[in-house]
Amino acid sequence: MLPSNIANYASFFLLIISIILLIVGSKAQLNSTFYDNTCPNASSIVRGVIQQALQSDVRIGASLIRLHFHDCFVNGCDGSILLDNSANIQSEKDGAPNTNSTRGFNVVDNIKTALENSCPGIVSCADILALAAEASVSLQGGPSWTVLLGRRDSLTANQTGANSSIPTPFESLTNITAKFTAVGLNTNDLVALSGAHTFGRAQCRLFSSRLYNFSGTGNPDPTLNSSYLTTLQQICPQSGSGFNVANLDPTTPDTFDNNYFTNLQNNRGLLQSDQELFSTSGAPTISIVNTFSSNQTAFFQSFAQSMINMGNISPLTGSNGEIRSDCKKVNGS
């Protein structure tokens, strides 16, 4: 009996090792040195184009990080958000969270052109979004991090997924948490990544219900600071088009810092989904908001790690997908 038991244990042990290697391998498919030999200047090229874009559009950093976020939450970080409509593709750009809202596609195209001129056919559009997110944050005062690379580009888009998987400004904290959990991100990731709203703008239509008719009550959201409410009502009149914009961070609107979290403590979160992090009774997010508000270093460290975590959502690697030559369309189309 002993030899067969030993054989069984040995087989079981080898199975466990194989599973561990498979898990580790899937995590290790992305790495920071992926382009070191094939396009060593990739990161600096991306950074240079964004620096130039910031000269005429101070919002562009926030817009670019949002593209990466909205890309990763739909079928993983595969550049699918960049694809235009075609005979075979319903563009994610026309999904409810993106239409008339996402921007910066021209800068992505400029980055792609610069990379193709330097090292044609090498750097994926999905990796451009990851590199652009890091450059955008660090150029506007935020942390730097080592971007893991090696993603490939999707051959299709998922507009239905864009409509259902991307967190929206109108959802409860419970729903938003569930959407983060669905892609393997936890509560700390949720709060840290929400801190990207420390810069950029939002259209009135995304929060005007808080100003006039919150949850059908006919009254403003009671969690809104009264003087902040007055300011926002001036920016967003009730009869307005809904496309005026307000600063996501009213204190330092174009700097990446931790003031977003202090704003939440003072009931000055712009979006419902922002303020809920602090104003939802008993929520586990409250203590994290307090930590990040009092300790910018802790926020920066968590944000960098959460960006890496988000960038690891279901990438296409190896021979899956392709390296698009034009981020807006599949090769050969």
Side-chain angles (χ1 to χ4, degrees):
M1 287 295 292
L2 191 59
S4 66
N5 280 347
I6 292 172
N8 287 340
Y9 281 127
S11 298
F12 180 71
F13 180 72
L14 287 171
L15 178 64
I16 294 298
I17 292 296
S18 299
I19 291 170
I20 291 171
L21 288 173
L22 189 64
I23 292 169
V24 171
S26 68
K27 288 289 185 186
Q29 286 173 333
L30 301 183
N31 65 78
S32 61
T33 60
F34 191 82
Y35 297 116
D36 280 9
N37 295 324
T38 54
C39 196
N41 296 323
S43 183
S44 60
I45 290 170
V46 172
R47 190 177 183 89
V49 174
I50 295 172
Q51 276 181 305
Q52 185 66 36
L54 280 166
Q55 301 305 309
S56 58
D57 181 6
V58 74
R59 295 173 60 188
I60 196 62
S63 298
L64 289 170
I65 196 171
R66 186 165 179 247
L67 287 181
H68 184 42
F69 176 70
H70 283 209
D71 182 41
C72 290
F73 267 68
V74 182
N75 289 15
C77 310
D78 61 358
S80 58
I81 193 173
L82 303 173
L83 290 170
D84 283 343
N85 283 309
S86 71
N88 302 312
I89 289 171
Q90 281 191 304
S91 177
E92 291 172 23
K93 296 177 185 180
D94 294 332
N98 297 327
T99 186
N100 297 317
S101 178
T102 45
R103 58 195 299 276
F105 296 106
N106 59 321
V107 177
V108 174
D109 288 339
N110 292 342
I111 293 169
K112 183 62 174 172
T113 298
L115 286 167
E116 288 297 303
N117 288 339
S118 180
C119 25
I122 298 298
V123 181
S124 69
C125 301
D127 275 348
I128 286 173
L129 292 181
L131 287 165
E134 191 278 336
S136 296
V137 170
S138 60
L139 283 168
Q140 292 187 261
S144 296
W145 61 91
T146 301
V147 181
L148 302 182
L149 300 163
R151 300 168 192 81
R152 289 167 65 84
D153 297 322
S154 71
L155 303 176
T156 187
N158 183 359
Q159 189 182 113
T160 302
N163 285 327
S164 61
S165 299
I166 297 172
T168 74
F170 316 106
E171 290 184 278
S172 68
L173 180 57
T174 299
N175 284 4
I176 293 171
T177 301
K179 289 185 175 182
F180 273 73
T181 301
V183 292
L185 300 176
N186 63 26
T187 302
N188 197 77
D189 296 318
L190 163 58
V191 180
L193 293 173
S194 296
H197 287 173
T198 181
F199 64 172
R201 315 284 185 266
Q203 296 173 357
C204 293
R205 65 190 178 95
L206 299 179
F207 58 87
S208 58
S209 63
R210 299 186 71 207
L211 311 183
Y212 302 104
N213 185 24
F214 183 63
S215 296
T217 61
N219 296 307
D221 184 339
T223 64
L224 260 176
N225 175 284
S226 58
S227 62
Y228 187 42
L229 170 63
T230 301
T231 299
L232 293 176
Q233 287 175 330
Q234 291 168 349
I235 297 170
C236 306
Q238 193 163 11
S239 58
S241 71
F243 288 98
N244 289 354
V245 295
N247 296 323
L248 281 160
D249 175 356
T251 50
T252 50
D254 300 318
T255 302
F256 198 99
D257 55 28
N258 68 331
N259 282 339
Y260 166 84
F261 299 102
T262 306
N263 296 335
L264 299 186
Q265 292 174 322
N266 294 326
N267 290 325
R268 292 174 179 263
L270 183 63
L271 305 178
Q272 175 185 330
S273 53
D274 292 324
Q275 193 58 50
E276 284 172 340
L277 298 176
F278 186 74
S279 297
T280 302
S281 179
T285 52
I286 296 170
S287 62
I288 305 173
V289 170
N290 290 335
T291 297
F292 291 163
S293 173
S294 63
N295 188 338
Q296 182 166 277
T297 301
F299 165 50
F300 278 11
Q301 289 174 343
S302 283
F303 184 82
Q305 184 58 55
S306 292
M307 286 298 295
I308 293 168
N309 295 345
M310 185 180 77
N312 268 328
I313 299 172
S314 305
L316 297 172
T317 57
S319 59
N320 295 314
E322 65 180 12
I323 307 299
R324 286 185 217 137
S325 56
D326 180 342
C327 292
K328 299 185 296 297
K329 59 184 183 180
V330 174
N331 292 343
S333 63

